Amino acid sequence: VTVEDPARILARVDGYLHLVPLSGARAHEIDRFTLFRSTTAWSYYARPRPPEASGPTTDFTATDIERLWTRCRELRVPLSLEWVHQLAPSLAGAAVAAGLVVVEHPLLVLRPADFRPAAGPAGVSVEIVAADRTALVTARAVADVAFGVPGTQVGEAGAGERDGTAAKVGAARGNALLERTRNGVTVTAVALRDDGRPIASGQHQPVGTVTEVVAVATLPAFRRRGLAAAVTSLLVTDAFERGVDLVMLSAQNDDVARIYERLGFARIGSVAAAEPPDLTTTGPT
Ligand SMILES: CC(C)(COP(=O)(O)OP(=O)(O)OC[C@H]1O[C@@H](n2cnc3c(N)ncnc32)[C@H](O)[C@@H]1OP(=O)(O)O)[C@@H](O)C(=O)NCCC(=O)NCCS
């Protein structure tokens, strides 16, 4: 067994994060950043170019951000930045100095040797969703409802809210989900109740030997039964079966990170994101 050092793992994660948007966006190089301009039904963001490409300097300043912000305004793309904090440690301060709001999320990784799978609770089955528009849209509706009720606590919203939300997912998003599933760009897993309908869902997006688990979500009424753990476990199993050997994810917060740590994920750093404080802010004048 070869042990990969943390710096190498962070570089692989960063390389992955710089490639994965290309399934739904075009890359525009703007100074020290790559702006991913969406070609699909949801928006993307800009990232600092990987350290090899932009040179060893990591001394970002507010001026770098302001130039990017000006260019985004010219292109009519809202400014949104994401990066691995440990690979661009000066970027958070620069973003704050330029007037952006910065948030950080725990970055976790899992190697095959560390995986501790979790089965779902009795009466619930977990499965990978086929390239079926209705099934994909219903799984997406589970996520839309769940992300509308943040945190890990049990709540009221359940199957009724899911079905009401499914009607609002929209043709463009439905088409994009179907095409991405057909192409193997996105893999969706669900936990199904005995009526065969989903109550938890999640996705992973393999690129080569790395994948990211995203959008893990449980309807509020069905939380704290082990469904997120079971859905994530199936996504990881699927990824390793496809030849992936590094699964990453950024967790909403420490409470959510604990769910993944029980499966064997370990913290390796943090993912940072920066945006203007409100939608009416249009950037430097
Ligand atoms: C985060 C989220 C996906 C977790 O879903 P979940 O299905 O409730 O997750 P799990 O049941 O696997 O784990 C949640 C907790 O229930 C506990 N639990 C699991 N099975 C249990 C059982 N049978 N009895 C009691 N507790 C149980 C877990 O140990 C965990 O406890 P902890 O908070 O002390 O660590 C869900 O709360 C959610 O959708 N939140 C909003 C969206 C979001 O933030 N998603 C995460 C993106 S990274």
Side-chain angles (χ1 to χ4, degrees):
V1 179
T2 49
V3 178
E4 221 174 342
D5 78 275
R8 165 89 189 125
I9 293 179
L10 278 177
R12 284 185 72 193
V13 164
D14 197 50
Y16 167 87
L17 290 173
H18 221 75
L19 284 175
V20 72
L22 296 176
S23 59
R26 272 195 300 271
H28 288 243
E29 305 305 329
I30 299 174
D31 300 329
R32 304 167 79 182
F33 299 95
T34 303
L35 172 65
F36 295 98
R37 291 184 77 185
S38 179
T39 56
T40 189
W42 46 82
S43 57
Y44 283 88
Y45 38 79
R47 304 188 79 252
R49 288 152 80 180
E52 313 86 80
S54 62
T57 48
T58 54
D59 52 338
F60 285 100
T61 66
T63 307
D64 291 308
I65 309 280
E66 280 152 14
R67 287 171 64 170
L68 174 66
W69 202 342
T70 299
R71 193 76 189 102
C72 284
R73 213 174 27 169
E74 287 164 4
L75 295 169
R76 299 176 188 282
V77 178
L79 176 62
S80 174
L81 257 177
E82 291 196 14
W83 69 98
V84 174
H85 173 66
Q86 285 69 23
L87 297 181
S90 57
L91 195 46
V96 169
L100 303 185
V101 175
V102 176
V103 293
E104 272 188 55
H105 300 289
L107 168 61
L108 294 90
V109 295
L110 175 62
R111 312 303 311 277
D114 300 320
F115 182 33
R116 298 191 298 272
V124 170
S125 60
V126 287
E127 60 180 48
I128 299 294
V129 181
D132 173 285
R133 181 200 300 262
T134 305
L136 291 167
V137 165
T138 314
R140 188 61 239 178
V142 168
D144 287 354
V145 171
F147 279 91
V149 188
T152 65
Q153 295 310 306
V154 176
E156 307 233 304
E161 285 76 4
R162 173 199 63 204
D163 295 341
T165 300
K168 298 182 209 142
V169 166
R173 276 215 294 168
N175 288 342
L177 289 169
L178 183 60
E179 191 185 312
R180 292 169 71 88
T181 302
R182 282 196 179 129
N183 298 342
V185 167
T186 299
V187 179
T188 302
V190 282
L192 304 168
R193 217 160 39 140
D194 48 17
D195 63 359
R197 317 280 327 274
I199 49 179
S201 66
Q203 300 181 326
H204 82 93
Q205 318 203 102
V207 178
T209 55
V210 183
T211 196
E212 180 178 24
V213 169
V214 295
V216 173
T218 301
L219 290 175
F222 300 99
R223 287 179 185 171
R224 310 195 76 81
R225 303 177 185 191
L227 297 179
V231 164
T232 306
S233 197
L234 179 59
L235 291 170
V236 168
T237 300
D238 177 88
F240 290 154
E241 281 171 7
R242 283 167 193 264
V244 162
D245 68 3
L246 179 63
V247 183
M248 58 151 295
L249 61 83
S250 67
Q252 199 67 24
N253 55 39
D254 290 345
D255 285 343
V256 178
R258 218 160 41 230
I259 297 169
Y260 303 120
E261 283 167 332
R262 276 190 216 101
L263 300 175
F265 281 85
R267 288 179 196 230
I268 191 168
S270 55
V271 169
E275 285 188 352
D278 67 71
L279 296 171
T280 58
T281 309
T282 53
T285 48

